[in-house]
């Protein structure tokens, strides 16, 4: 059963203490679990990983490869109609997106 709404953002230390208190685990055990979760997420989304990780019911982390873009000259300026501008080249990159799942959306609306 969830408790009352929390009015101020918790620090990392407060989060660890709250989880330790509510689960009867030591603070060190909780810290180790969160560190392992971080490592697990990293192994999923790093280069040559599957590029996707989900915390069931809460959120999904997905990576998307963005191809390189060539430089362009004399492109219409969207902010100043009638003027032309040059657009610099952009290297290929990987974009990380975090999508909320149903349970997380329900938390926000309740």
């Amino acid at each position: 059963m969830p408790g009352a709404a929390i009015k101020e953002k918790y620090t990392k230390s407060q989060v660890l203490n709250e989880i330790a208190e509510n689960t009867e685990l030591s603070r060190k055990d909780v810290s180790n679990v969160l560190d392992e979760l971080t490592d697990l997420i990293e192994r999923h989304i790093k280069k040559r990983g599957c590029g996707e990780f989900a915390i069931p019911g809460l959120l999904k982390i997905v990576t998307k490869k963005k191809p390189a873009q060539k430089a362009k000259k004399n492109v219409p300026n969207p902010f100043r109609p009638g003027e032309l501008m040059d657009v610099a080249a952009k290297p290929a990159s990987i974009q990380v997106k975090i999508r909320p799942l149903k349970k997380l959306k329900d938390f926000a609306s309740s």
Side-chain angles (χ1 to χ4, degrees), residues 37 41 53-61 101:
L37 180 63
I41 292 170
F53 181 81
I55 297 178
L58 292 179
L59 53 93
K60 184 182 252 186
I61 302 169
L101 299 177

Side-chain angles (χ1 to χ4, degrees), residues 45-56:
I45 67 171
K46 72 191 300 184
K47 207 174 220 179
R48 291 188 284 283
C50 68
E52 197 172 295
F53 181 81
I55 297 178

Side-chain angles (χ1 to χ4, degrees), residues 38-81:
T38 302
D39 291 344
L40 188 61
I41 292 170
E42 178 187 359
R43 291 186 356 235
H44 274 83
I45 67 171
K46 72 191 300 184
K47 207 174 220 179
R48 291 188 284 283
C50 68
E52 197 172 295
F53 181 81
I55 297 178
L58 292 179
L59 53 93
K60 184 182 252 186
I61 302 169
V62 183
T63 58
K64 184 177 181 182
K65 293 176 183 164
K66 291 284 202 174
Q69 291 183 338
K70 295 180 181 178
K72 299 176 188 172
K73 290 192 176 278
N74 297 326
V75 177
N77 188 337
F79 303 109
R80 293 186 179 162

Side-chain angles (χ1 to χ4, degrees), residues 19-30 33:
I19 294 172
E21 190 178 298
N22 292 338
T23 59
E24 298 176 5
L25 294 170
S26 73
R27 191 176 186 283
K28 188 173 182 181
D29 289 341
V30 173
V33 168

Side-chain angles (χ1 to χ4, degrees), residues 12 15-16 19 29-39:
K12 180 180 178 181
V15 170
L16 292 175
I19 294 172
D29 289 341
V30 173
S31 181
N32 288 340
V33 168
L34 291 180
D35 288 343
E36 185 56 37
L37 180 63
T38 302
D39 291 344

Side-chain angles (χ1 to χ4, degrees), residues 85-101:
M85 62 182 218
D86 296 340
V87 177
K90 291 182 184 175
S93 63
I94 295 178
Q95 191 175 39
V96 178
K97 292 197 175 210
I98 300 175
R99 293 184 20 225
L101 299 177

